[in-house]
Amino acid sequence: MSTGVRFMAIDPGFASIGWAIFDLSRDGVSVLAVGLVETKKATKKTKTLAAHDNWKRAHEIARQLSNLMVSYRVRAIAAEYMSFPRNASAAAKVALTWGVLAALTLWHAPMPMLQVSPQETKLETTGSRSASKTDVGAAMDAMFLGLSALRANAAPVSKHEHINDAVAVGVAVLGSEEIGIMKSMLEER
């Protein structure tokens, strides 16, 4: 078992949230686990108001991510900057996820929330700001041996891009001041 310091990288969404747990140790960086938090819209048969349904889905996101943070003893969260989709409904749902992330950084001992743009993520992981999802996935597989097996066990192929994006976010923040501080904690042990 690693004795490193851990952080969670997230590809924020509402229906599908990719996540990756990173371990920083004296030996370097590794990806311990990856996965997907999925929420589904209530069926029309349940006659649930959209606002209540969205609240239930945000609650489920908070519950699952919180459990991961406790299980893996996460010290920071990293995510791509909040984007504003053209559709107001989609923007509101992504904002709900960001509200969950903000709350999680307070509930679990105040911890840093690291943010990076999609272009910075692509540049850090592939060397190109215009890299495709396929390019990012291939770069992550090359960087972390065993990632493809973790990903295959975590989600269907159609959802792998969310996990790849979460791993890429984690890689993109490795040079941040906050991660540097986390690494320095290893020196003090």
Side-chain angles (χ1 to χ4, degrees):
M1 186 67 140
S2 169
T3 58
V5 180
R6 296 176 180 160
F7 72 96
M8 180 165 48
I10 296 172
D11 174 35
F14 198 63
S16 299
I17 298 101
W19 58 266
I21 304 294
F22 281 79
D23 185 75
L24 305 169
S25 69
R26 288 188 178 105
D27 297 329
V29 62
S30 60
V31 176
L32 293 180
V34 298
L36 198 62
V37 173
E38 291 187 285
T39 66
K40 296 201 182 334
K41 193 175 184 178
T43 64
K44 294 195 188 291
K45 290 180 184 177
T46 61
K47 296 187 185 202
T48 303
L49 292 175
H52 184 67
D53 185 49
N54 288 343
W55 175 85
K56 287 179 11 183
R57 292 171 72 188
H59 185 266
E60 182 60 20
I61 292 166
R63 186 187 68 74
Q64 287 191 43
L65 292 179
S66 182
N67 287 343
L68 288 165
M69 293 171 73
V70 169
S71 295
Y72 287 100
R73 297 180 12 227
V74 168
R75 301 279 185 99
I77 295 176
E80 281 187 349
Y81 288 131
M82 187 169 148
S83 62
F84 296 94
R86 292 181 188 140
N87 175 318
S89 175
K93 290 173 184 170
V94 171
L96 282 169
T97 299
W98 271 93
V100 166
L101 295 178
L104 289 174
T105 62
L106 295 173
W107 291 341
H108 295 279
M111 66 176 61
M113 176 65 189
L114 313 173
Q115 298 179 56
V116 62
S117 75
Q119 293 78 18
E120 290 170 315
T121 299
K122 291 175 183 179
L123 184 63
E124 285 292 323
T125 57
T126 68
S128 170
R129 289 183 187 272
S130 61
S132 69
K133 297 271 188 194
T134 302
D135 296 336
V136 171
M140 296 305 88
D141 284 342
M143 193 173 290
F144 296 105
L145 297 176
L147 176 61
S148 61
L150 285 174
R151 191 177 50 237
N153 290 328
V157 173
S158 64
K159 303 286 185 168
H160 284 184
E161 72 180 63
H162 302 292
I163 293 170
N164 290 339
D165 286 351
V167 174
V169 165
V171 170
V173 301
L174 287 175
S176 71
E177 180 180 346
E178 292 87 347
I179 296 297
I181 292 168
M182 291 172 70
K183 288 178 183 175
S184 72
M185 293 169 64
L186 296 170
E187 306 298 320
E188 297 171 6
R189 290 184 178 178

